[in-house]
Amino acid sequence: MRLDRFLANAGLGTRTEVKAMIRKGQVKLDGEVCREPQTRLDEKQRSAVSLNDIPVRLKSRIHIMLHKPTSVITAMDDPRQPTIAELIPDRYQAARLFPVGRLDLDTTGLLLLTNDGTLGHRLTSPRWQVGKTYRITFAGPPFMSADIEHFQKGIRLADGTICRPAELEIQGENQVLLTIHEGKFHQVKRMILATGREVKTLHRQSIGPLVLDHQLPPGACRELTAGEADQLYDWVRLDRP
Ligand code: URA
């Protein structure tokens, strides 16, 4: 791998930024300043790179919070439609990220990408009961307190499927928060439909302890902080690698 790519993959900046650091002499290889961004590193040399005399380590696990906008599909590759991959900076290309669960084309909000398969599996598996909270606006009659109980008991979908208990919080005439603990196909839209209403907008606010950062506009993303990642791993009883 090239030195500049290695540094960018380690999250130290964009390719342009790390090239500038290299040219300025901030980067050492085996204790010697190296000013050539294109220098090729073999496996062994990767543990001998330092930036400002601090050893650089490639993070093995990367977790990204994305504010998914409408009009991109939850896939890393598609021949026809724009995908979430186009919103992820190039420096993460080698990280083999995948989305944890999916949001529909017209759904906005929190999408987590990771390269930790066990974490991704636990966050989506109904066995681990990780709540996902959605803000919903809908057309139809306002929800009443009796509906809260209805959702708590388990909504029956049009095809007869009974959903697990879900928490409904009424926020206004046409707005609710709904927390579900599983991820069936179009689940929220089908649950709302089963009550005789129609989802107009759907926005995911949180996954377990992870809340979408209000500072992130639609289409923007950032790495999780160490604290956020710790909380997620704790939530599904995993040791953070
Ligand atoms: N449920 C839905 O119906 N759509 C989504 O995008 C997410 C949950």
Side-chain angles (χ1 to χ4, degrees), residues 77-96:
D77 188 26
D78 189 89
R80 283 176 300 275
Q81 303 196 67
T83 68
I84 52 164
E86 289 156 42
L87 303 171
I88 307 299
D90 285 350
R91 63 177 177 279
Y92 296 114
Q93 242 173 37
R96 296 178 189 279

Side-chain angles (χ1 to χ4, degrees), residues 32-241:
E32 301 285 328
V33 172
C34 174
R35 292 179 193 267
E36 302 292 329
Q38 68 276 22
T39 304
R40 296 228 150 247
L41 303 178
D42 59 32
E43 287 283 338
K44 242 167 63 195
Q45 284 171 307
R46 291 181 199 175
S47 54
V49 179
S50 63
L51 172 67
N52 298 328
D53 292 319
I54 298 169
V56 176
R57 305 245 173 281
L58 259 192
K59 283 194 217 160
S60 58
R61 296 293 179 220
I62 307 245
H63 317 290
I64 305 266
M65 166 191 292
L66 169 70
H67 185 163
K68 182 195 168 294
T70 55
S71 313
V72 291
I73 60 165
T74 308
M76 296 308 278
D77 188 26
D78 189 89
R80 283 176 300 275
Q81 303 196 67
T83 68
I84 52 164
E86 289 156 42
L87 303 171
I88 307 299
D90 285 350
R91 63 177 177 279
Y92 296 114
Q93 242 173 37
R96 296 178 189 279
L97 294 168
F98 61 87
V100 174
R102 59 183 299 282
L103 294 177
D104 296 336
L105 184 68
D106 55 356
T107 301
T108 58
L110 175 60
L111 193 63
L112 175 69
L113 292 99
T114 179
N115 55 4
D116 185 334
T118 311
L119 178 71
H121 174 73
R122 290 203 184 179
L123 290 172
T124 46
S125 160
R127 200 177 139 222
W128 288 90
Q129 292 278 309
V130 177
K132 283 107 194 162
T133 301
Y134 295 85
R135 190 180 65 226
I136 303 163
T137 60
F138 60 91
F143 281 106
M144 303 293 176
S145 35
D147 294 303
I148 296 175
E149 209 178 312
H150 186 193
F151 275 85
Q152 193 51 250
K153 283 194 173 138
I155 293 276
R156 179 192 287 271
L157 301 180
D159 66 0
T161 308
I162 310 273
C163 296
R164 289 177 183 240
E167 290 88 55
L168 183 75
E169 186 187 314
I170 301 169
Q171 293 208 309
E173 283 225 326
N174 292 98
Q175 184 169 307
V176 287
L177 289 184
L178 182 65
T179 302
I180 59 172
H181 304 269
E182 53 190 341
K184 301 184 198 306
F185 186 60
H186 295 324
Q187 181 163 346
V188 173
K189 289 176 184 163
R190 289 160 71 209
M191 288 171 96
I192 299 295
L193 204 57
T195 72
R197 297 164 180 87
E198 191 193 348
V199 168
K200 286 295 173 194
T201 62
L202 188 54
H203 176 87
R204 183 156 65 191
Q205 298 193 152
S206 61
I207 300 173
L210 184 67
V211 179
L212 181 63
D213 184 341
H214 294 299
Q215 313 266 23
L216 278 185
C221 67
R222 68 157 169 83
E223 276 193 51
L224 297 195
T225 63
E228 288 168 336
D230 282 344
Q231 278 189 314
L232 267 188
Y233 277 91
D234 283 353
W235 205 260
V236 291
R237 309 241 167 82
L238 278 176
D239 287 329
R240 188 163 156 216

